[in-house]
Amino acid sequence: MEDNQSKPATPEPSPAPSPAPSPAPSPAPSPAPSPLLDRIALPAANHVEHLNVNQIQVVVRRCSTPNVTEETTYFIPRNPVVDAGTNTDPPLVCCPLLHRFCPCPPRGLLASLITKFLLAAVLFGVVWSITEDQCLPGGNLFGITVLFICALIGGKLVALIRLPRLPPFPPLLGMLLMGLMLRNIPVVTTWVFIEHRWSASLRNIALAVILARAGLGLDPSALKKLKSVCLRVAIGPCIIEACTTALVSHFLMDLPWVWGFILGFVLGAVSPAVVVPSMLLLQKDGYGVEQGIPTLLMAAGSFDDILAITGFTTCLGMAFATGSTWYNLLRGVMEVAGGLVAGLLLGFLIQYFPSIDQKHLVMKRSFFVLGLSVFAVFGSGVAGFPGSGGLCTLVLAFLAGLGWGAEKARVEEVVGWTWDVFQPLLFGLIGAEIHVSELKGHTVGLGIASLFIALVVRVLFTYVCVLFAGFNLREKIFIALAWMPKATVQAAIGSTALDMARSKQDVLLQKYGMDVLTVAVLAILLTAPVGALIIGLTGPCLLQKPKNSACGERVKPNLSAFFLGTAAGGEDDSETPITYESTL
């Protein structure tokens, strides 16, 4: 009867039974099970459990007696992973494959892109609500934004062009060509439109930034150590090219004498943006280091630019003055003296204000330098003395850096950041000023002819300037050829005369200003890439590598070190190798 009766179902014990322990004299009590394990449903004894992907197998071994070990297997379900960012459980994933490539909410690169897009959308919404049509296609803000982005892209693309053992092409070429394309593509021209007043203002701000950087880079203590050959290379070719251009353009392009000198000083400046990177590449390989050729060219380049800008601003004031020739000449001298005095006063002012005990000293000094530079460039035009603004900016920045000493390096860095913003705008706007359909063939041809004649005279006179400087024939030829690329200064001051002519609403003066701008753009397009290639190709052939292995590339953190003119193999050969940089 008992066998036929059904037995009630009893729950199986949680732990799987282990083999019976052998008798022992004094069995040790087994440790108390964990409360967590008591809440876990365990499989029955002698039951084969397939491990699920959502389970974790845990094996617990306990020594109940010295000779017997109990082993228990637990299957613990996996807990959901807690989100470390929000400290919450993750949402339910409907499609794991889609969640893998497109997580929700987005993270990483996708989230960064969406955030930047939203920031741009919010910024556009704020600007649109304030300016309305100005930030829409055809407005000034829209045109400036598109031009800036396209100029950056063009500069990056040109910088990617690398030829073996040749210096890289200057990115400013891509910026210039992008501006030229945006102006001359029919549909794009309607959308990307910038008024002349906006364009002129942005170019003048860029000019003020260039002049401030040049003034901060000068070091008076280093001027005493300049060699005479450096002064000859800095002054002689610039003056000769300006006079040659004035003479040739007066007879070929029918420019008045004062406008011929304006064009001459625009073309007389060499471009450190092309020369310095090419020299650094040769200097890295040791070419011309023992003779100090890279040092010579990089130091003289800055003086050459300052001389050209000063001569340009003086002639510019004379060109737009009314009166007799002697009066205009006297007026030009007075503008130079006025700019010098104003620069001295402002420079001494910002030497002591802000004082050194104030907070955010670097930012305040940078603001004063940039603000006063822009004020000098614009204020001189408003006051009727346009030729004094550039010289005033150079002098005030020079005196400010003289008073700050070594601390001016941090101000130079901030001014350099500002130039990084205005450089694409400057070259893009210069390219956008050229209308290909309005160019006349004979103007372009005569401009190229004038440029070619001036370059030939400059190269020959540069060779004469280095005759008795201790260089051999090949080195003299290289210095003469490397002293002709043009870019930065031509873009900065090439359109200034045209902008002033437009403000006077004089058709004849506007024609002269457009001729000057056209030749300046042609000079950039022709001499910048050709000059970089000539330096890269002729440098290894004409220059010598150092005989002493200790002579390597010499590096200085700023432009003031260029003026020292220390040749390799001197007293400081044991110092760490250094590299030259340019302020312009």
Side-chain angles (χ1 to χ4, degrees):
M1 290 293 293
E2 295 178 359
D3 296 338
N4 295 333
Q5 291 178 358
S6 60
K7 297 182 180 180
T10 60
E12 296 181 0
S14 296
S18 302
S22 59
S26 58
S30 60
S34 172
L36 175 63
L37 300 180
D38 293 340
R39 292 194 294 269
I40 300 175
L42 302 175
N46 300 326
H47 178 69
V48 178
E49 181 72 19
H50 295 283
L51 185 64
N52 196 329
V53 295
N54 292 326
Q55 291 179 336
I56 302 176
Q57 182 179 2
V58 179
V59 179
V60 179
R61 293 182 177 87
R62 293 179 296 189
C63 182
S64 58
T65 61
N67 298 326
V68 177
T69 302
E70 296 182 2
E71 182 177 299
T72 307
T73 303
Y74 301 96
F75 296 91
I76 303 175
R78 294 178 182 268
N79 291 328
V81 180
V82 178
D83 192 338
T86 60
N87 199 22
T88 58
D89 295 337
L92 181 62
V93 180
C94 300
C95 182
L97 182 61
L98 180 61
H99 180 75
R100 179 180 179 183
F101 295 100
C102 184
C104 184
R107 302 292 174 88
L109 179 62
L110 179 61
S112 177
L113 294 177
I114 294 176
T115 303
K116 293 178 180 178
F117 175 78
L118 292 177
L119 289 173
V122 171
L123 179 61
F124 175 80
V126 172
V127 176
W128 172 80
S129 62
I130 297 174
T131 62
E132 298 182 0
D133 295 339
Q134 290 294 331
C135 64
L136 297 178
N140 290 300
L141 293 178
F142 181 83
I144 292 172
T145 304
V146 173
L147 179 68
F148 178 77
I149 296 174
C150 292
L152 281 179
I153 295 174
K156 295 294 184 181
L157 292 178
V158 172
L160 293 177
I161 302 177
R162 296 295 181 93
L163 299 178
R165 301 192 63 81
L166 286 179
F169 286 97
L172 54 90
L173 285 178
M175 302 174 187
L176 185 68
L177 292 175
M178 277 294 182
L180 190 65
M181 292 174 57
L182 291 176
R183 174 57 63 191
N184 294 278
I185 297 178
V187 179
V188 178
T189 304
T190 306
W191 290 357
V192 184
F193 173 77
I194 304 174
E195 295 180 2
H196 293 307
R197 184 177 179 183
W198 289 60
S199 177
S201 299
L202 290 173
R203 291 196 301 269
N204 284 331
I205 294 174
L207 174 61
V209 175
I210 290 177
L211 295 174
R213 296 190 71 192
L216 288 173
L218 294 178
D219 189 351
S221 62
L223 298 179
K224 301 176 182 179
K225 302 180 182 179
L226 272 175
K227 299 179 180 179
S228 60
V229 62
C230 187
L231 291 176
R232 294 199 302 267
V233 172
I235 298 175
C238 178
I239 298 296
I240 291 298
E241 184 176 10
C243 296
T244 304
T245 304
L247 180 64
V248 174
S249 62
H250 177 71
F251 292 102
L252 290 183
M253 302 178 66
D254 294 330
L255 290 179
W257 285 108
V258 64
W259 281 90
F261 277 100
I262 289 176
L263 178 59
F265 281 111
V266 168
L267 299 181
V270 73
S271 175
V274 180
V275 174
V276 171
S278 303
M279 288 294 103
L280 290 178
L281 188 60
L282 293 176
Q283 187 175 256
K284 181 180 179 181
D285 296 332
Y287 292 107
V289 174
E290 284 188 344
Q291 294 76 20
I293 294 177
T295 304
L296 168 67
L297 293 180
M298 289 185 288
S302 299
F303 284 110
D304 178 273
D305 294 338
I306 293 173
L307 177 62
I309 293 173
T310 304
F312 169 79
T313 55
T314 303
C315 295
L316 187 67
M318 296 173 58
F320 289 92
T322 57
S324 62
T325 304
W326 290 106
Y327 172 77
N328 294 338
L329 183 60
L330 179 62
R331 180 186 176 89
V333 176
M334 291 176 61
E335 287 190 3
V336 172
L340 183 62
V341 173
L344 289 172
L345 295 177
L346 295 176
F348 280 117
L349 177 66
I350 60 178
Q351 273 190 9
Y352 304 103
F353 301 98
S355 57
I356 59 176
D357 58 340
Q358 297 186 27
K359 296 181 179 180
H360 310 294
L361 185 61
V362 175
M363 297 306 299
K364 290 180 181 178
R365 286 176 171 175
S366 304
F367 174 79
F368 271 114
V369 169
L370 292 174
L372 290 176
S373 299
V374 174
F375 172 74
V377 172
F378 282 88
S380 61
V382 175
F385 299 96
S388 60
L391 184 59
C392 176
T393 302
L394 287 170
V395 174
L396 74 88
F398 168 71
L399 287 180
L402 177 63
W404 297 336
E407 297 179 359
K408 75 172 182 180
R410 301 178 63 186
V411 179
E412 286 183 279
E413 185 178 2
V414 177
V415 177
W417 297 341
T418 309
W419 171 241
D420 292 338
V421 174
F422 281 95
Q423 183 184 20
L425 287 175
L426 173 63
F427 286 96
L429 290 171
I430 287 295
E433 288 291 332
I434 301 299
H435 297 264
V436 177
S437 60
E438 298 180 3
L439 291 178
K440 299 179 181 179
H442 71 279
T443 302
V444 176
L446 294 176
I448 294 177
S450 302
L451 175 64
F452 177 76
I453 295 173
L455 285 177
V456 171
V457 174
R458 180 188 181 95
V459 169
L460 294 177
F461 192 79
T462 304
Y463 180 86
V464 173
C465 290
V466 295
L467 276 180
F468 303 100
F471 301 115
N472 58 33
L473 178 61
R474 291 187 174 187
E475 292 166 350
K476 296 173 186 175
I477 295 175
F478 174 79
I479 294 174
L481 294 176
W483 206 230
M484 68 175 187
K486 307 176 186 306
T488 310
V489 178
Q490 286 71 27
I493 64 178
S495 62
T496 305
L498 177 61
D499 297 334
M500 293 188 62
R502 286 171 176 168
S503 65
K504 300 292 184 180
Q505 297 182 354
D506 191 319
V507 178
L508 183 60
L509 295 181
Q510 290 183 28
K511 176 186 177 300
Y512 296 153
M514 182 56 69
D515 291 343
V516 171
L517 177 61
T518 302
V519 179
V521 173
L522 291 174
I524 297 174
L525 293 176
L526 296 177
T527 62
V530 173
L533 290 177
I534 288 177
I535 295 175
L537 291 174
T538 61
C541 299
L542 300 178
L543 299 181
Q544 300 177 359
K545 281 193 172 183
K547 300 177 182 179
N548 185 3
S549 60
C551 297
E553 56 177 301
R554 312 192 62 79
V555 179
K556 289 292 180 186
N558 51 43
L559 182 64
S560 62
F562 300 165
F563 303 147
L564 294 175
T566 306
E571 298 177 356
D572 50 354
D573 276 340
S574 60
E575 295 182 357
T576 306
I578 52 177
T579 309
Y580 293 98
E581 297 178 0
S582 174
T583 299
L584 291 178

